[in-house]
Amino acid sequence: MALRNSFFLALCFAGFAFLSNINVGLAGRQLLQTTTTPNLPKLPPFPSILNLPPLPTLPTTQPSQLPKPTLPPLPSMPTIPNLPKLNLPPLPSIPTIPNTMPTIPFSSPPPAKTSP
């Protein structure tokens, strides 16, 4: 089964590779460079829309005739008991990094023996 799928996939790939050799860009350029308009056949005029009778309207009901839905009362929310305040020790402070960096002494290169 896998061999058939891979064979079909290879066949499709070969077909698309063959069809991609058609030079579409050259054909498009030729169409853009033509100055004459193509002779298109004359189309018949569109038929006019017939006068249709008006559609029947749906009967409407008065808002006062509709029954008003009644909702059951919502249950009351239970109260959350107050929790005792916990006394936690303070967090330790993090040491800071100094803002100054040590300087690296710069040594100049030795003088050249020949001048350029």
Side-chain angles (χ1 to χ4, degrees):
M1 185 71 176
L3 182 63
R4 288 184 186 170
N5 287 342
S6 62
F7 177 73
F8 180 72
L9 184 65
L11 186 66
C12 287
F13 180 74
F16 288 135
F18 175 74
L19 290 176
S20 69
N21 288 335
I22 299 172
N23 197 348
V24 180
L26 185 62
R29 182 178 294 153
Q30 182 183 2
L31 286 175
L32 286 173
Q33 289 176 350
T34 56
T35 57
T36 60
T37 58
N39 294 329
L40 296 177
K42 294 288 182 184
L43 297 175
F46 289 112
S48 63
I49 298 176
L50 301 175
N51 291 333
L52 297 175
L55 296 173
T57 59
L58 295 174
T60 60
T61 59
Q62 298 296 329
S64 61
Q65 294 175 353
L66 296 175
K68 293 183 180 179
T70 58
L71 297 175
L74 294 174
S76 62
M77 294 292 291
T79 59
I80 300 174
N82 291 334
L83 296 175
K85 193 172 190 180
L86 298 176
N87 292 327
L88 296 176
L91 295 175
S93 63
I94 300 172
T96 58
I97 299 174
N99 291 338
T100 59
M101 295 292 291
T103 58
I104 300 172
F106 178 71
S107 61
S108 60
K113 296 190 179 185
T114 59
S115 62

